[in-house]
Amino acid sequence: MAREADRKTALGSVWLRADPEATRAPLSRDDIVRTAVKVLDRDGLESFSMRRMAAELGTAATSALYWRVANKNDLLELAVDEVLGEALVPAERGDWRDQVTALATAAYEALWAHPWAPQLLASHAGLGPNYQTLAERVLNVLISAGFKGVHLDAAMSAIFHYLIGAAVTDAAWTATVRRSGLTEREWASAAGDQLGVGAASLAAYLSRENLAGPEARFTSGLRAVLVGLRPRQLS
């Protein structure tokens, strides 16, 4: 029993283990992952459980899930990578900055649409196939632009650290507001005084539609990062 548990958690990631053996279980892994994304979108990360998943899928026992997914942590990894599949948009025309902007923006928007996903990226390495495909596309754009060696590594780090950092930060605000049970505007009005920030300014900071909001800040910050990158000129 101990050996079986060790096998299921070896190397700490679902992506570093062999796929589960074939089974006649009625639930497919894809069905389970898609349902997990739906449940996480609706209920959030804090209340997510395998028992809730079993209820959502209409099966009385959580054991039915374990035929396809070893544990909750594996399912969360699978769900995050499913979300990142939404970031794999067609190639953009233009120079290398335009192309990287399109890829990074698509990834940010996918993570924004599923605010639980960035929370998990803070603790789960990007080992899934969709994350790796996204990284490979950015890498190929940079290579075509002339980045090499340590300059290429530094540029990749700058882009992905900015992308994930922005997504994690904005998701934290979203999660805080969600836990309160209030709308963004209601929360800003109630919390503004305690934070020493005007309610209108705080509401603008939180609102995606506002020119001072998360999406606008992400776009401006990404532009600043990319303008600062030069092939063969990083020190």
Side-chain angles (χ1 to χ4, degrees), residues 20-21 23-36 53 57 64-69 75 78:
E21 297 176 3
T23 174
R24 293 183 177 181
L27 296 172
S28 72
R29 177 182 272 192
D30 287 345
D31 290 336
I32 293 170
V33 172
R34 283 192 291 267
T35 300
M53 278 291 299
L57 289 162
L65 299 179
Y66 294 122
W67 283 105
R68 297 294 191 187
V69 182
L75 182 52
L78 291 164

Side-chain angles (χ1 to χ4, degrees), residues 86-138:
E86 299 173 18
L88 303 181
V89 295
E92 181 79 9
R93 294 184 178 182
D95 69 8
W96 68 269
R97 290 189 178 90
D98 293 332
Q99 295 175 55
V100 171
T101 295
L103 289 165
T105 300
Y108 176 81
E109 289 177 349
L111 294 170
W112 176 273
H114 308 277
W116 50 270
Q119 294 177 263
L120 292 172
L121 281 178
S123 57
H124 294 68
L127 299 174
N130 287 328
Y131 187 102
Q132 293 299 311
T133 298
L134 175 65
E136 184 176 0
R137 290 185 180 184
V138 175

Side-chain angles (χ1 to χ4, degrees), residues 150-190:
V150 294
H151 299 158
L152 176 62
D153 292 342
M156 283 289 289
S157 293
I159 292 164
F160 274 86
H161 288 179
Y162 175 73
L163 166 63
I164 294 172
V168 169
T169 300
D170 292 338
W173 282 103
T174 299
T176 300
V177 174
R178 183 172 187 163
R179 285 194 298 270
S180 75
L182 304 174
T183 66
E184 286 180 353
R185 187 167 293 278
E186 290 169 342
W187 187 86
S189 179

Side-chain angles (χ1 to χ4, degrees), residues 188-200:
S189 179
D193 289 341
Q194 296 187 53
L195 293 173
V197 179

Side-chain angles (χ1 to χ4, degrees), residues 31-68:
D31 290 336
I32 293 170
V33 172
R34 283 192 291 267
T35 300
V37 171
K38 182 176 75 172
V39 171
L40 285 160
D41 286 347
R42 184 189 67 209
D43 301 335
L45 183 60
E46 292 82 0
S47 61
F48 184 79
S49 69
M50 296 298 268
R51 180 169 295 181
R52 181 163 293 194
M53 278 291 299
E56 188 74 22
L57 289 162
T59 177
T62 56
S63 58
L65 299 179
Y66 294 122
W67 283 105
R68 297 294 191 187

